[in-house]
Amino acid sequence: MRCGRRCILNTMMRIRPILVFPIASLAFIAFPLFAQQADKPKPEDTEVWEPVPAVVTPGATPTAAPSDAIILFDGKNEDEWVSAQDKSPAKWIVSDGVLTVSKAPGVGNIETKRTFKNYQLHIEWKVPENITGSGQARGNSGVFLASTGPGDDGYELQVLDCYNNKTYVNGMVGSIYKQAIPLANAARKPGEWQSYDVVWTAPTFNEDGSLKTPSYVTVFFNGVLVENHFELKGQTLYIGKPFYKKYDSAPIKLQAHGDHSEPLSFRNIWVRELN
Ligand code: MG
C-alpha cells in the first residue's frame, strides 16, 4: 500500500521518541568530555604575540671579565659545569675555545657546580650560521638564572634566533620566558656572537615556604637594555601560570633544547656575586 503524506507524518510521530532518546543521551555523555577538553590548559593559553618589540642594531663589543669575577668558562674546559640531570661531569663539547651543546642522547642541560643568590652575569652565545627551522624551533636554548630542578625548572632567560624569525613575543630572545616581553629586539644574525649581561636578584622565602620578596632581573642584550628591573611572577613555565617554589641558592643552567636544529655555542662566561 502506498503511504500518503498523512501516513508519513503518522509514522514520524510514532518513531520520534525512539530517535530523540539516543540523540539526547549522546549529547549528555559528550558535553562533559568537550567541556573537560576546553578546560585543559594549553601552551597557547600563555603565548602573547603583540606588541612586537622594535628592531635595534646593537653596537656593543663583548666584555672581558673584571678582576673579582668567578670565571665559569674561559674557553679551556667545562670544569665549572655538571649535568643538570645527575650532577655528573658536563659532557658538552669544548673545542676552539667554545662550549657547544651536545646533541648526544641523555646529555641534556648543564648547570654550574656552584650555586648563587644575587649576581651579575656575562655570557656570550652564537646561533650557527646554517640554522634551520622557525619559531621556537630555531636556535632555542636558554640561560636559567636559577636552576631549581633537572629539567626546565627554574627561571629562564630565553635564547633563540629572532633575527627575522617570528614567534610569540614573550618567548622571543631577551624575554623572561612567558613573563616579560623584551624592550627591544637587538638580535644579531645567526653566525655572529651575541651577549647577555644580567643582574639577578634572587627571591627570598619565609620559613613556611611562602614568598618574602620576589626576584628581579635586568638584562642587556648586545649592550641594549631589554629587561629593566622586571619583577618575576615565579618560575618560567611552558604550560600554566608561574608560581614560586622555595629555594636557597641555585646553579645557573644552560638549556639543551630538544629540537633538531644545529646546536648553539657559548663562550666567555663569568659571574660576580652580589650578596
Ligand atoms: Mg629556551
Side-chain angles (χ1 to χ4, degrees):
M1 187 184 74
R2 252 194 89 180
C3 194
R5 191 196 267 182
R6 187 180 292 270
C7 165
I8 290 168
L9 272 174
N10 281 341
T11 313
M12 290 291 286
M13 289 303 281
R14 254 182 275 124
I15 65 167
R16 191 171 60 171
I18 303 165
L19 285 175
V20 165
F21 180 73
I23 291 166
S25 26
L26 204 66
F28 186 73
I29 294 162
F31 180 73
L33 282 174
F34 283 129
Q36 212 175 21
Q37 285 289 32
D39 286 349
K40 200 175 169 211
K42 297 181 289 294
E44 295 79 14
D45 296 345
T46 44
E47 293 176 1
V48 178
W49 288 76
E50 302 255 307
V52 177
V55 171
V56 173
T57 305
T61 48
T63 312
S67 60
D68 64 347
I70 297 167
I71 309 298
L72 295 176
F73 181 70
D74 63 359
K76 295 190 183 88
N77 58 60
E78 51 191 328
D79 291 357
E80 287 284 340
W81 300 84
V82 293
S83 155
Q85 189 61 42
D86 59 10
K87 315 286 180 194
S88 64
K91 293 183 196 72
W92 284 14
I93 300 142
V94 179
S95 175
D96 293 332
V98 170
L99 176 64
T100 300
V101 177
S102 168
K103 290 169 77 175
V107 174
N109 300 339
I110 63 168
E111 65 185 22
T112 55
K113 269 184 200 166
R114 299 170 197 258
T115 63
F116 303 96
K117 286 183 181 172
N118 306 326
Y119 61 79
Q120 173 190 350
L121 172 72
H122 176 84
I123 184 164
E124 294 169 28
W125 52 269
K126 185 175 74 170
V127 173
E129 199 176 350
N130 57 347
I131 193 77
T132 58
S134 63
Q136 292 286 306
R138 188 178 169 88
N140 197 328
S141 181
V143 181
F144 285 80
L145 303 168
S147 168
T148 54
D152 287 345
D153 289 0
Y155 303 80
E156 183 184 10
L157 167 58
Q158 177 69 303
V159 169
L160 191 73
D161 175 34
C162 286
Y163 191 87
N164 298 328
N165 174 37
K166 194 174 180 182
T167 186
Y168 43 95
V169 291
N170 62 343
M172 67 182 284
V173 71
S175 69
I176 299 302
Y177 188 70
K178 288 192 169 175
Q179 289 192 39
I181 301 165
L183 300 172
N185 180 358
R188 297 185 196 275
K189 286 179 193 158
E192 294 182 14
W193 283 99
Q194 322 212 41
S195 65
Y196 276 147
D197 287 279
V198 181
V199 182
W200 173 251
T201 304
T204 61
F205 298 88
N206 298 307
E207 285 285 299
D208 65 0
S210 60
L211 184 70
K212 196 169 174 184
T213 56
S215 50
Y216 294 92
V217 69
T218 296
V219 180
F220 292 87
F221 177 34
N222 294 328
V224 176
L225 182 69
V226 292
E227 302 294 351
N228 185 10
H229 197 62
F230 174 75
E231 180 185 324
L232 278 82
K233 299 173 191 80
Q235 296 193 51
T236 52
L237 306 179
Y238 177 49
I239 299 173
K241 301 281 183 202
F243 60 89
Y244 279 102
K245 201 165 75 181
K246 188 174 189 264
Y247 78 90
D248 183 31
S249 69
I252 296 166
K253 178 166 65 189
L254 302 180
Q255 188 182 40
H257 199 267
D259 61 45
H260 299 288
S261 57
E262 290 297 306
L264 271 80
S265 296
F266 294 85
R267 72 176 185 189
N268 191 20
I269 312 172
W270 52 261
V271 66
R272 293 179 61 246
E273 292 183 297
L274 303 173
N275 297 325

